[in-house]
Structures are given as structure tokens and as C-alpha cells.
């Protein structure tokens, strides 16, 4: 169990702070739900994923350690010692939604708008408002990532999942 902390910054904004809330497999689902119910507008989803994220199952080097990745867990090879998270942000959003029962919009705001507000950069980040940085993720109804735009430019596209090209506005 990892306790939640209520954090109030110098601007008197209150946020619920949980250590890598949805990425921790050992984190109790009831705690995530309770924290979200206590202050849904302050829920902030982040990931503390280590560089082994996205490399699939097997052994990888993490600094001086060999880490074994299996079943979405990273442990020091030959032990049960957790080496870190391998959960990407989209996995964290899905877990948060599953743990809390919140809507898709609430989960996405917790991963975009709420962190931007907490950092006081919500005029540029976490929003689709005019004048914002145009950092956009294209998702499907299952919250699977299909494309990523940074400053309005296509930065990544899931070729296997897309039936539409975002670069020339024509069907594939």
C-alpha cells in the first residue's frame, strides 16, 4: 500500500498525489478509487517507467543491473525485487479508468489537463485550445494509441492499427 498525499501549492491549488498511481501493480485499486472520489479534478496520472518500457519480455540491462521483464513487471534478475515500472502512459490511463470507474474524458484529463494545471502550463499543454502547443494523441475507443503529434507535426504513427494516413489526408 502506498499512501496518498494531499498537496497544496503556493497558489492554494489542491491535488491528490499518488506515487505513479496506475503503474504500480501492487497499488490497491480501492486506494486509487478513494483518492479519485476525494478530488477528481486533482487526479494526476504520470508514469515512472524505466528505459526498459516497450522492450517486451526478457532480460535487459538497466545501469549496472540485469532486469527481467515478465508479465508487465520489471524485477532485478533472479529476485522478486521490483526494478521499476514498465507501464507506458496509455497503460496508466487504462488502469486508472479500470480502478476508479471514471469516464474516458476524466481519465484523459487526469493524464493531460490536470498535470498541466499542477505545473501551471495549462495555457500551452493539456488542452486543445487555440494557441496551445498542438501536442495531440489520436486514440481509439479502447484508448489504444494510433498516432502522436508534437507541435502539430506527426511524430509517430501505429502503422499496423491505422486505416488512415495522417500525413496526406487520404485513405490507405
Amino acid at each position: 500500500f502506498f499512501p496518498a498525499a494531499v498537496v497544496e501549492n503556493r497558489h492554494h491549488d489542491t491535488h491528490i498525489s499518488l506515487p505513479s498511481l496506475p503503474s504500480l501493480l501492487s497499488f490497491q485499486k480501492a486506494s486509487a478509487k478513494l483518492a479519485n472520489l476525494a478530488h477528481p479534478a486533482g487526479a494526476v496520472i504520470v508514469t515512472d517507467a524505466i528505459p526498459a518500457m516497450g522492450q517486451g519480455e526478457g532480460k535487459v540491462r538497466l545501469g549496472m543491473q540485469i532486469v527481467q521483464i515478465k508479465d508487465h513487471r520489471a524485477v532485478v534478475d533472479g529476485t522478486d525485487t521490483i526494478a521499476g515500472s514498465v507501464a507506458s502512459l496509455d497503460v496508466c490511463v487504462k488502469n486508472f479508468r479500470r480502478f476508479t470507474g471514471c469516464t474516458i474524458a476524466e481519465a484523459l484529463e487526469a493524464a493531460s489537463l490536470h498535470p498541466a494545471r499542477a505545473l501551471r502550463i495549462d495555457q500551452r499543454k493539456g488542452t486543445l485550445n487555440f494557441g496551445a502547443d498542438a501536442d495531440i494523441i489520436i486514440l481509439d475507443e479502447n484508448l489504444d494509441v494510433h498516432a502522436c503529434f508534437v507541435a502539430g507535426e506527426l511524430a509517430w504513427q501505429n502503422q499496423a492499427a491505422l486505416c488512415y494516413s495522417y500525413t496526406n489526408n487520404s485513405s490507405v
Side-chain angles (χ1 to χ4, degrees), residues 22-24 47-50 53 72 84-92 95:
S23 69
L24 294 170
T47 182
D48 62 349
I50 61 175
M53 178 190 72
H72 306 287
S85 173
V86 291
S88 58
L89 190 57
D90 60 316
V91 170
C92 293
N95 286 344

Side-chain angles (χ1 to χ4, degrees), residues 69-159:
I69 300 172
K70 185 176 180 185
D71 299 326
H72 306 287
R73 291 186 43 150
V75 296
V76 176
D77 191 34
T79 74
D80 290 329
T81 303
I82 296 174
S85 173
V86 291
S88 58
L89 190 57
D90 60 316
V91 170
C92 293
V93 169
K94 291 174 190 177
N95 286 344
F96 182 78
R97 185 159 187 260
R98 192 174 76 246
F99 294 173
T100 65
C102 71
T103 67
I104 288 176
E106 291 167 332
L108 293 175
E109 283 184 352
S112 58
L113 180 60
H114 299 171
R117 280 186 181 156
L119 295 170
R120 296 261 180 225
I121 58 172
D122 54 314
Q123 296 303 311
R124 298 184 343 262
K125 303 289 185 187
T127 181
L128 297 176
N129 291 341
F130 180 79
D133 287 350
D135 298 337
I136 302 168
I137 304 294
I138 306 297
L139 306 165
D140 64 20
E141 65 277 0
N142 297 317
L143 299 174
D144 294 323
V145 180
H146 288 266
C148 176
F149 291 81
V150 177
E153 298 291 325
L154 181 65
W156 178 84
Q157 182 173 340
N158 182 347
Q159 298 296 330

Side-chain angles (χ1 to χ4, degrees), residues 6-103:
V6 177
V7 178
E8 187 172 306
N9 66 20
R10 62 186 173 92
H11 301 286
H12 306 290
D13 297 326
T14 305
H15 301 279
I16 302 294
S17 175
L18 297 161
S20 304
L21 174 68
S23 69
L24 294 170
L25 296 175
S26 60
F27 193 85
Q28 295 179 5
K29 294 174 187 175
S31 296
K33 187 171 186 171
L34 181 62
N36 187 56
L37 286 172
H39 189 41
V44 174
I45 301 173
V46 297
T47 182
D48 62 349
I50 61 175
M53 178 190 72
Q55 294 190 20
E57 294 198 358
K59 294 181 182 183
V60 296
R61 180 171 290 285
L62 180 63
M64 301 295 291
Q65 297 285 332
I66 300 296
V67 174
Q68 176 74 38
I69 300 172
K70 185 176 180 185
D71 299 326
H72 306 287
R73 291 186 43 150
V75 296
V76 176
D77 191 34
T79 74
D80 290 329
T81 303
I82 296 174
S85 173
V86 291
S88 58
L89 190 57
D90 60 316
V91 170
C92 293
V93 169
K94 291 174 190 177
N95 286 344
F96 182 78
R97 185 159 187 260
R98 192 174 76 246
F99 294 173
T100 65
C102 71
T103 67

